Amino acid sequence: MKYISTRGSTAHKQFSEVLLMGLAPDGGLMLPESYPQVSAQMLQQWRGLSYPELAFEIMSLFVSDIPAEDLRDILNRTYTEKAFGTAEITPVRTLSDGLKIQALSNGSTLAFKDMAMQFLGNAFEYVLAKEGKKLNILGATSGDTGSAAEYALRGKKGINVFMLSPEGKMSPFQRAQMFSLQDKNIYNIAVDGMFDDCQDIVKAVQNDAEFKAKYHIGTVNSINWGRIVAQVVYYFAGYFKATSSNDEKVSFCVPSGNFGNVCAGHIARQMGLPIGRLIVATNENDVLDEFFKTGEYRPRTADHTMVTSSPSMDISKASNFERFIFDLMNRDSDEIKALWAEVGAGKGFDLSFVLDKIHQQYGFVSGKSIHQDRLATIKQVYQQDGELIDPHTADGVKVAREVREPGETIVCLETALAAKFDTTIHEAVGSNVAIPRPAALAGLEDLPQRVQVVPNDAEVVKEIISEALGK
């Protein structure tokens, strides 16, 4: 299995190289030359496998440069009952109205990012040790990626983490998860701006080839292919849990801001998993909803990105979107370069002429949810089913109910646990309702915090990195 860049000017790479590189040298994103195809026989053999076994079967199709026994060991150490609270790893439950929710938030930071990040931490450590290299991670987070990365990489040999977040835009719980870590290899940097500003700084540093090479800069943002391939696995697991035979189709509803989570679903569908529709749920920052309804992609500036009660989706430039558009445009790198030049110029692009292809061939539909919608959904699910869902998952449930067709089985991907967003949860169901929190996280917000607040400037971030690494 070899990997290519969406921009077409990067030499073919193997998985381990792609794992460490993040953004491609030509500014594009890495993807397999072609997606491996899954037969009916393979699906039948995989049904009933444990999660680590299923992960091995799927990832083996994408990873050809790590010996099978080593890959199996990495996955067995990653997907454990101890780490995720259940042997199923991602159990699927059914609400009273028939909608299903796949639990992806049982990891160490109570968010779906743990599913991929725990794998990434172990895979990084393995590859770096084998090659005698070091890696300095530069990432951006709107709330959950940062803590998932830091918990996965804290204390790992040969790895430092520099994590950017938008100052004052995350929930107190999210901030405390990150900033309370005292590990010497973790550096928290709060940027005066929005998530998109943080993401732009990461890309600016990634595009400085000399700096990137000197300081061995990698990334854990969803532009990292290792995260996407790990997320592909839980679509297969969710499908098997939601069906009794492989003749059935299942649709997935995915709360989305950066398009990484649903991009993994797109890849699973292209591989042959019987997915009916991929339903993209946005919040008030509805750039993706606008695209899937009209074909027009109009990223907004940070000034026009709203601060909402589902903060992990307060994103107006979806960094993974390029992977899907690459497939949509028949993998034409020149077309991608032209389209993203328009994005870079602040214009966006119009693909309304392929809207039928987006809906029919690729199965995408979308919807949006606003603050009052998510409050109503959280309250309704609590009253009808006796469980609390987080605001992002509520966005997904609201949109899934809105677009559900007769007889359609929809699995909503849970993005986090309610404990991370107690202010919004209490607004929805009342302050007297106790929100469950793992005992290990009691008093988290009271712990000492370490963070540097900086202006929105890539050069300042570079200075922090070079000073920390003493070069």
Side-chain angles (χ1 to χ4, degrees):
M1 171 66 74
K2 291 290 180 71
Y3 290 85
I4 58 174
S5 167
T6 52
R7 307 283 175 97
S9 301
T10 295
H12 291 195
K13 304 285 184 186
Q14 296 219 81
F15 176 82
S16 294
E17 296 175 282
V18 172
L19 180 75
L20 299 181
M21 74 165 27
L23 203 63
D26 61 11
L29 301 180
M30 302 303 286
L31 274 173
E33 278 185 299
S34 61
Y35 298 125
Q37 295 302 294
V38 175
S39 67
Q41 183 181 9
M42 291 164 77
L43 281 176
Q44 195 55 47
Q45 289 171 345
W46 293 354
R47 184 178 283 275
L49 291 181
S50 70
Y51 196 94
E53 290 168 340
L54 179 62
F56 175 76
E57 294 296 335
I58 294 169
M59 288 200 200
S60 294
L61 303 176
F62 293 95
V63 181
S64 54
D65 61 336
I66 295 178
E69 61 272 22
D70 291 351
L71 179 61
R72 193 184 293 277
D73 176 64
I74 290 169
L75 294 168
N76 284 339
R77 286 188 288 112
T78 298
Y79 298 111
T80 66
E81 183 172 357
K82 182 179 179 182
F84 291 95
T86 166
E88 287 184 277
I89 309 298
T90 63
V92 173
R93 62 191 187 273
T94 306
L95 298 180
S96 53
D97 68 348
L99 208 62
K100 296 180 184 294
I101 295 180
Q102 186 174 6
L104 302 178
S105 304
N106 295 323
S108 56
T109 70
L110 317 186
F112 82 95
K113 307 291 176 75
D114 293 321
M115 292 301 304
M117 212 65 78
Q118 289 292 320
F119 164 73
L120 218 57
N122 289 327
F124 277 155
E125 193 171 45
Y126 169 85
V127 172
L128 292 171
K130 198 170 184 181
E131 298 181 6
K133 292 181 179 178
K134 293 189 175 183
L135 187 65
N136 296 303
I137 296 297
L138 176 62
T141 184
S142 56
D144 292 328
T145 293
S147 55
E150 291 179 357
Y151 277 70
L153 298 173
R154 60 190 302 197
K156 293 283 186 187
K157 292 177 182 175
I159 303 174
N160 292 296
V161 181
F162 298 86
M163 187 58 61
L164 310 181
S165 59
E167 164 66 3
K169 306 298 191 300
M170 300 186 296
S171 76
F173 186 99
Q174 288 175 310
R175 287 197 296 271
Q177 272 193 310
M178 291 171 57
F179 302 164
S180 65
L181 291 181
Q182 303 297 320
D183 303 77
K184 290 181 180 179
N185 70 327
I186 303 297
Y187 299 85
N188 281 301
I189 304 168
V191 176
D192 184 12
M194 297 295 291
F195 168 77
D196 290 323
D197 296 314
C198 300
Q199 189 161 255
D200 286 344
I201 290 174
V202 170
K203 288 186 176 180
V205 176
Q206 285 270 337
N207 282 322
D208 184 337
E210 186 179 343
F211 187 90
K212 183 178 178 180
K214 180 179 180 181
Y215 292 104
H216 310 290
I217 303 293
T219 184
V220 289
N221 274 42
S222 51
I223 58 174
N224 187 301
W225 172 252
R227 272 188 60 184
I228 300 295
V229 73
Q231 290 174 298
V232 169
V233 176
Y234 56 65
Y235 281 88
F236 282 82
Y239 173 81
F240 291 136
K241 293 290 181 188
T243 59
S244 54
S245 87
N246 299 329
D247 298 327
E248 302 172 60
K249 279 197 171 183
V250 166
S251 296
F252 285 88
C253 185
V254 189
S256 192
N258 225 8
F259 206 75
N261 201 1
V262 76
C263 183
H266 160 68
I267 292 166
R269 193 174 187 273
Q270 294 304 109
M271 291 172 68
L273 185 66
I275 294 175
R277 299 192 296 168
L278 289 165
I279 303 161
V280 175
T282 72
N283 63 11
E284 292 88 336
N285 298 296
D286 57 354
V287 171
L288 291 174
D289 181 42
E290 184 176 76
F291 173 80
F292 286 110
K293 284 194 167 91
T294 69
E296 293 186 31
Y297 182 57
R298 307 288 178 202
R300 298 166 196 158
T301 62
D303 291 344
H304 292 91
T305 301
M306 297 181 222
V307 178
T308 77
S309 52
S310 49
S312 298
M313 289 152 58
D314 291 348
I315 298 169
S316 290
K317 279 189 277 187
S319 65
N320 261 286
F321 196 49
E322 185 172 330
R323 284 186 166 112
F324 168 64
I325 300 299
F326 182 61
D327 287 343
L328 178 66
M329 305 312 289
N330 303 312
R331 298 198 148 205
D332 184 334
S333 298
D334 290 334
E335 184 71 34
I336 293 302
K337 282 187 276 194
L339 291 175
W340 257 262
E342 294 294 294
V343 172
K347 297 176 184 176
F349 50 76
D350 185 349
L351 297 182
S352 54
F353 63 96
V354 288
L355 200 53
D356 282 347
K357 184 179 180 182
I358 292 167
H359 295 158
Q360 302 304 320
Q361 182 177 333
Y362 290 105
F364 276 99
V365 292
S366 66
K368 69 180 279 188
S369 170
I370 64 173
H371 181 66
Q372 292 305 320
D373 294 328
R374 66 185 68 98
L375 291 182
T377 303
I378 292 167
K379 183 177 182 179
Q380 185 181 39
V381 170
Y382 180 65
Q383 289 178 339
Q384 290 183 353
D385 296 277
E387 65 172 85
L388 295 170
I389 57 174
D390 92 289
H392 309 77
T393 306
D395 288 334
V397 170
K398 183 265 182 183
V399 171
R401 287 172 168 169
E402 191 173 68
V403 305
R404 182 164 46 170
E405 295 176 343
E408 184 179 27
T409 298
I410 299 180
V411 175
C412 287
L413 297 191
E414 176 189 85
T415 58
L417 294 191
K420 300 191 81 163
F421 305 96
D422 55 355
T423 301
T424 303
I425 302 301
H426 281 143
E427 186 181 353
V429 299
S431 57
N432 60 324
V433 174
I435 303 172
R437 176 186 290 203
L441 296 173
L444 182 70
E445 292 91 335
D446 300 324
L447 296 174
Q449 298 188 5
R450 290 168 59 230
V451 61
Q452 288 176 269
V453 181
V454 302
N456 177 19
D457 187 336
E459 294 305 316
V460 173
V461 172
K462 286 182 185 177
E463 286 173 17
I464 290 172
I465 294 171
S466 56
E467 195 173 302
L469 299 178
K471 292 183 182 179

